[in-house]
């Protein structure tokens, strides 16, 4: 392996990074960002890696979720709060049913840049460069807004910092206290079947807390009852930005990308000889690798070895995203190749990106049923291969949007236009996300791998 440097990725071909016309301005912005405070601290990143090592061992479950693309327009404390609430609710459902701790990882506080399937977009005969994410260009369909503007990086940094600040406050300031569980429910799902199920769970938790309180165990004495660890993640796509946020940790001398705790390499940029893999192999952060239908098992093995030469547990998360009807064709082969090499990985399932279709009404959507099918198929494959289905990666929001069809609210093609707010891919709304958590908890109960782990944990 060639020696890694913070900018050695520049010696490799890179995809999906925009050409900035004003290079001087880009350098000025990146130069300033290099001196901005890190968004996360290296010690936190190490802590997350330890938690992910538990997922590798089947002792915890990973829940990763948030917007497909964060935007400047949707930046609002209520949106952050509601995404946080749904993640807490989903975690509680999963923890309760599987008796496993849930590692909570937001696609938040930095998830801006997007790889696009086409470099340009045509509307009414006018062709313009595609929208690439709010930290690169604007979504408005006019020439000016589509020019990559380096200064957008300042705004994205600032939005990430204040989002993270609020998340830290929620996580440690009392909002996540188990005693507050009844306040996590969102108004618009209160009448849904999931809300009823969640209420039953709330009551059971209240009983358990009352019992523990009577035994002298309560949140005044045990921080873990009133705080949570909530980590941040995004796709490490825009490498000039990621490089500018990468710093040497003074306590260990190691490089950490301080823009988030966890970053992942997308399905379109995971070339073994590409700049994205090169950049990610030098940083200490845990790394996700998206695996789609075009990924060859032997290539994924090579990427794992490049990124994690010491085969450290918790360093690599493989995120499969094949599409519900492709899981059986691709996933077993990947699991076998990874097992043959003895690689330690977290197996996570992204049931969103392989199930995107165009609705009859012209919207990009994902039928909830197909999302559920992919999850079920992935669990079944892991069950038969004897591996641990340890994670879920979803695009979701706490808002009452109508972007994915189906679910208990029975969102139809016609309903999509009502509240379709996403800047990129369609997200599950809070009701659909919670419904998915209940369905997964049923899968977990069925899976012998979990029962084995729970039995081991108890004995
Ligand atoms: C994403 O997670 O938003 C994404 C673009 O996914 P993928 O790389 O799997 O297509
Ligand atoms: Co997406």
């Amino acid at each position: 392996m060639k020696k890694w440097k913070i900018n050695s990725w520049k010696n490799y071909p890179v995809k999906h990074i925009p050409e900035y016309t004003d290079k001087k301005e880009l350098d000025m912005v990146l130069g300033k960002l290099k001196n901005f405070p890190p968004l996360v601290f290296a010690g936190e990143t190490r802590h997350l890696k330890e938690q992910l090592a538990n997922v590798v061992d089947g002792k915890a479950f990973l829940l990763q979720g948030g917007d497909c693309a964060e935007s400047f327009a949707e930046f609002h404390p209520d949106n952050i709060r509601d995404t946080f609430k749904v993640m807490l609710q989903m975690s509680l459902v999963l923890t309760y049913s599987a008796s496993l701790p849930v590692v909570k990882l937001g696609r938040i506080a930095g998830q801006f840049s997007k790889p696009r399937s086409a470099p340009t977009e045509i509307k009414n005969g006018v062709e313009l460069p595609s929208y690439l994410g709010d930290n690169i260009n604007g979504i408005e369909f006019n020439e000016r807004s589509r020019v990559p503007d380096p200064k957008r990086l300042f705004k994205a940094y600032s939005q990430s910092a204040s989002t993270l600040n609020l998340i830290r406050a929620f996580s440690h300031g009392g909002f996540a206290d188990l005693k507050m569980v009844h306040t996590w429910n969102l108004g618009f799902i209160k009448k849904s079947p999931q809300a009823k199920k969640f209420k039953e769970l709330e009551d059971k938790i209240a009983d358990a807390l009352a019992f523990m309180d009577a035994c002298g165990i309560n949140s005044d004495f045990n921080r873990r009852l009133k705080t949570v660890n909530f980590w941040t993640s995004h796709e490490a796509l825009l490498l000039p930005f990621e490089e500018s946020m990468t710093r040497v940790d003074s306590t260990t001398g190691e490089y950490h990308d301080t823009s988030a705790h966890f970053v992942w390499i997308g399905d379109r940029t995971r070339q073994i000889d590409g700049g994205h893999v090169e950049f990610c192999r030098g940083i200490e952060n845990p790394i996700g690798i998206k695996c789609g239908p075009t990924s060859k098992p032997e290539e994924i093995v090579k990427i794992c070895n490049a990124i994690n030469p010491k085969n450290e547990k918790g360093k690599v998360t493989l995120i499969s995203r094949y599409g519900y009807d492709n899981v059986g064709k691709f996933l077993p082969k990947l699991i076998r190749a990874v097992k043959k090499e003895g690689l330690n990985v977290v197996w996570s399932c992204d049931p969103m990106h392989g199930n995107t279709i165009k609705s009859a009404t012209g919207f990009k959507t994902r039928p909830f049923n197909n999302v559920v099918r992919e999850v079920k198929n992935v669990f079944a494959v892991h069950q038969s291969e004897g591996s641990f289905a340890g994670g879920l990666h979803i695009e979701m929001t706490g808002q009452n949007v109508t972007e994915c069809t189906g679910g208990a609210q029975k969102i139809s093609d016609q309903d999509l236009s009502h509240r379709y707010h996403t800047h990129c891919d369609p997200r599950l709304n809070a009701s659909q996300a919670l419904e998915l958590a209940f369905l997964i908890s049923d899968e977990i109960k069925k899976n012998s791998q979990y029962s084995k782990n729970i039995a081991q944990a108890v004995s």
Side-chain angles (χ1 to χ4, degrees):
M1 269 278 160
K2 285 213 185 114
K3 204 167 151 28
W4 183 88
K5 288 220 277 294
I6 193 165
N7 60 358
S8 53
W9 62 269
K10 289 186 176 149
N11 303 326
Y12 296 80
V14 283
K15 294 192 175 167
H16 298 278
I17 296 187
E19 268 300 319
Y20 286 92
T21 39
D22 192 340
K23 300 265 185 324
K24 262 203 192 133
E25 191 177 36
L26 177 67
D27 288 345
M28 179 277 290
V29 169
L30 296 174
K32 287 205 167 152
L33 283 169
K34 277 186 188 138
N35 294 316
F36 280 16
L39 291 172
V40 305
F41 162 58
E44 296 175 317
T45 300
R46 277 190 286 274
H47 187 179
L48 168 61
K49 216 195 275 177
E50 280 164 24
Q51 293 202 333
L52 291 171
N54 288 336
V55 181
V56 175
D57 288 336
K59 294 185 183 134
F61 190 85
L62 167 66
L63 176 64
Q64 186 172 14
D67 286 328
C68 176
E70 288 175 273
S71 67
F72 298 160
E74 280 210 328
F75 180 44
H76 194 282
D78 291 356
N79 291 349
I80 302 167
R81 179 200 60 201
D82 293 346
T83 296
F84 184 79
K85 275 185 178 179
V86 180
M87 290 278 288
L88 286 186
Q89 285 190 300
M90 293 179 78
S91 302
L92 203 67
V93 169
L94 294 165
T95 301
Y96 198 85
S97 61
S99 305
L100 284 175
V102 172
V103 182
K104 293 169 263 305
L105 180 58
R107 277 179 69 113
I108 204 165
Q111 173 51 24
F112 289 101
S113 322
K114 299 308 300 175
R116 303 310 303 266
S117 36
T120 60
E121 185 184 349
I122 302 173
K123 250 189 210 171
N124 305 326
V126 179
E127 186 172 8
L128 288 179
S130 293
Y131 166 64
L132 301 171
D134 270 9
N135 64 349
I136 299 176
N137 61 4
I139 201 164
E140 300 74 24
F141 194 76
N142 64 63
E143 209 157 327
R144 202 159 152 249
S145 120
R146 293 294 168 95
V147 176
D149 175 0
K151 285 215 184 74
R152 284 177 165 267
L153 287 171
F154 288 143
K155 201 164 170 189
Y157 172 93
S158 144
Q159 180 166 324
S160 303
S162 37
T163 301
L164 195 51
N165 186 49
L166 190 59
I167 290 174
R168 289 187 197 279
F170 285 153
S171 305
H172 296 281
F175 189 87
D177 192 324
L178 271 179
K179 274 194 303 208
M180 303 283 285
V181 60
H182 54 280
T183 66
W184 301 346
N185 235 340
L186 289 155
F188 75 94
I189 52 173
K190 277 196 176 129
K191 288 192 199 82
S192 69
Q194 301 80 264
K196 197 166 162 274
K197 273 172 131 179
F198 193 75
K199 177 80 181 57
E200 285 163 20
L201 204 74
E202 276 177 23
D203 293 344
K204 286 182 192 162
I205 288 166
D207 282 351
L209 289 177
F211 170 72
M212 288 191 336
D213 201 16
C215 301
I217 306 164
N218 59 41
S219 56
D220 293 340
F221 302 106
N222 194 331
R223 268 185 68 244
R224 295 184 69 169
L225 291 174
K226 63 174 173 190
T227 64
V228 291
N229 288 311
F230 193 100
W231 313 104
T232 61
S233 69
H234 61 256
E235 179 172 351
L237 185 67
L238 190 61
L239 295 180
F241 172 75
E242 301 303 332
E243 180 191 324
S244 75
M245 293 302 296
T246 297
R247 316 285 160 79
V248 175
D249 168 29
S250 58
T251 63
T252 59
E254 296 164 342
Y255 283 93
H256 283 251
D257 183 346
T258 65
S259 68
H261 300 107
F262 175 110
V263 291
W264 74 86
I265 307 175
D267 194 43
R268 281 161 261 202
T269 48
R270 56 162 163 66
Q271 300 75 30
I272 179 72
D273 51 1
H276 290 87
V277 170
E278 171 61 16
F279 175 76
C280 287
R281 84 177 171 93
I283 54 174
E284 285 302 309
N285 308 57
I287 307 286
I289 302 162
K290 292 285 199 97
C291 308
T294 59
S295 56
K296 297 198 180 71
E298 59 278 15
E299 261 171 26
I300 300 294
V301 164
K302 276 191 197 153
I303 299 170
C304 290
N305 283 327
I307 284 177
N308 190 19
K310 294 193 206 125
N311 202 15
E312 202 184 340
K313 283 185 185 171
K315 172 76 196 182
V316 171
T317 297
L318 295 183
I319 308 164
S320 64
R321 32 86 80 223
Y322 294 117
Y324 75 95
D325 50 353
N326 271 329
V327 172
K329 188 166 157 206
F330 296 110
L331 187 58
K333 289 191 188 123
L334 180 61
I335 296 175
R336 285 172 208 163
V338 165
K339 267 201 178 166
K340 195 162 154 234
E341 282 283 307
L343 301 178
N344 291 315
V345 301
V346 168
W347 288 108
S348 182
C349 161
D350 165 359
M352 313 299 294
H353 286 89
N355 297 309
T356 317
I357 56 166
K358 200 163 187 177
S359 76
T361 45
F363 288 92
K364 216 185 191 192
T365 190
R366 289 159 171 159
F368 183 69
N369 268 347
N370 293 350
V371 170
V372 172
R373 278 189 197 129
E374 177 141 3
V375 173
K376 286 192 172 173
N377 291 346
V378 165
F379 268 81
V381 166
H382 282 294
Q383 164 90 328
S384 63
E385 296 295 322
S387 40
F388 181 70
L392 179 72
H393 180 120
I394 52 168
E395 290 183 340
M396 43 83 63
T397 168
Q399 305 308 299
N400 189 15
V401 297
T402 51
E403 297 171 5
C404 293
T405 52
Q409 294 163 304
K410 298 194 173 59
I411 294 172
S412 69
D413 278 1
Q414 277 67 35
D415 295 331
L416 291 174
S417 64
H418 297 167
R419 289 177 304 280
Y420 195 95
H421 299 314
T422 183
H423 270 52
C424 195
D425 289 338
R427 302 160 293 181
L428 299 178
N429 66 23
S431 166
Q432 291 166 326
L434 197 56
E435 193 174 345
L436 187 63
F438 278 112
L439 285 161
I440 292 178
S441 71
D442 291 340
E443 290 303 307
I444 291 181
K445 280 184 220 150
K446 275 195 254 161
N447 192 311
S448 62
Q449 217 40 45
Y450 289 93
S451 339
K452 228 171 44 201
N453 289 324
I454 293 167
Q456 275 167 2
V458 171
S459 65

